[in-house]
């Protein structure tokens, strides 16, 4: 149900059947993702756990390619494995709450654009993502994937700012799962 610019959340409503939950592997994004699981359970929605990986950058050095630099195939394989470990934690949490979840890993140079594209391709009625809540000069210099995604999409984005305790809990869960936050 939509009333002006206010969106009412209804259990089992078709508008929010799929919720995109981007995570970058940080404790903050995992804390938000865990809250998204609880939110999806209340709505009876399905989650699409999402991770965007920057594309491989060929090294450019005057003396050639460094001896220890990974190949593009190695980079792809290593990044996918790390991303899958992050998403597996979310899949496990969702399963514990009885929430259906799918996963999606993409290589893209613009994380915000990748989030918008994934939300459209996965028919998501909502994106649920975390934000550091930076403002002023900090946000001007560091940028914000959340802010950029907000400007690129017509899909509603629910922005969460987890507490220090929620982030600490998520980091502990990641460490328990042998993932360094």
């Amino acid at each position: 149900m939509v009333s002006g610019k206010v969106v009412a959340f209804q259990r089992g409503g078709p508008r929010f059947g799929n919720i995109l939950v981007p995570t970058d592997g940080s404790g903050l994004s995992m804390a938000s993702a865990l809250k998204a699981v609880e939110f999806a359970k209340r709505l009876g929605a399905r989650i699409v756990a999402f991770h965007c990986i920057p594309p491989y950058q060929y090294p450019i050095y005057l003396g050639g390619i460094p001896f220890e630099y990974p190949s593009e195939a190695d980079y792809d394989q290593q990044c996918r494995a790390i991303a899958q470990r992050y998403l597996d934690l979310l899949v496990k949490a969702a399963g514990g709450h009885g929430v259906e979840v799918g996963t999606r890993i993409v290589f893209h140079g613009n994380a915000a654009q990748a989030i918008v594209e994934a939300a459209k391709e996965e028919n998501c009625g909502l994106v649920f993502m975390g934000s550091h809540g930076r403002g002023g000069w900090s946000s001007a210099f560091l940028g914000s994937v959340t802010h950029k995604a907000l400007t690129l999409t017509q899909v509603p984005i629910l922005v969460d700012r987890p507490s220090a305790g929620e982030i600490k809990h998520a980091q502990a869960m990641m460490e328990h799962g042998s993932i360094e936050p």
Side-chain angles (χ1 to χ4, degrees), residues 26-115:
S26 67
L28 182 139
S29 71
M30 187 56 71
S32 289
L34 294 173
K35 288 167 78 173
V37 168
E38 293 174 17
F39 186 75
K41 180 177 180 167
R42 290 181 182 165
L43 292 177
R46 174 182 175 267
I47 283 180
V48 178
F50 178 80
H51 189 87
C52 179
I53 302 167
Y56 182 79
Q57 297 289 318
Y58 288 97
I60 300 175
Y61 296 95
L62 294 176
I65 296 176
F67 183 69
E68 293 293 321
Y69 205 81
S71 69
E72 187 171 358
D74 288 343
Y75 174 82
D76 181 279
Q77 181 182 16
Q78 291 169 9
C79 288
R80 282 186 188 279
I82 292 167
Q84 192 60 56
R85 288 174 50 201
Y86 293 135
L87 297 182
D88 285 347
L89 284 176
L90 188 52
V91 168
K92 184 177 178 182
H97 283 83
V99 174
E100 183 184 343
V101 61
T103 62
R104 184 172 184 149
I105 299 170
V106 301
F107 286 82
H108 200 293
N110 181 334
Q113 185 65 43
I115 289 166

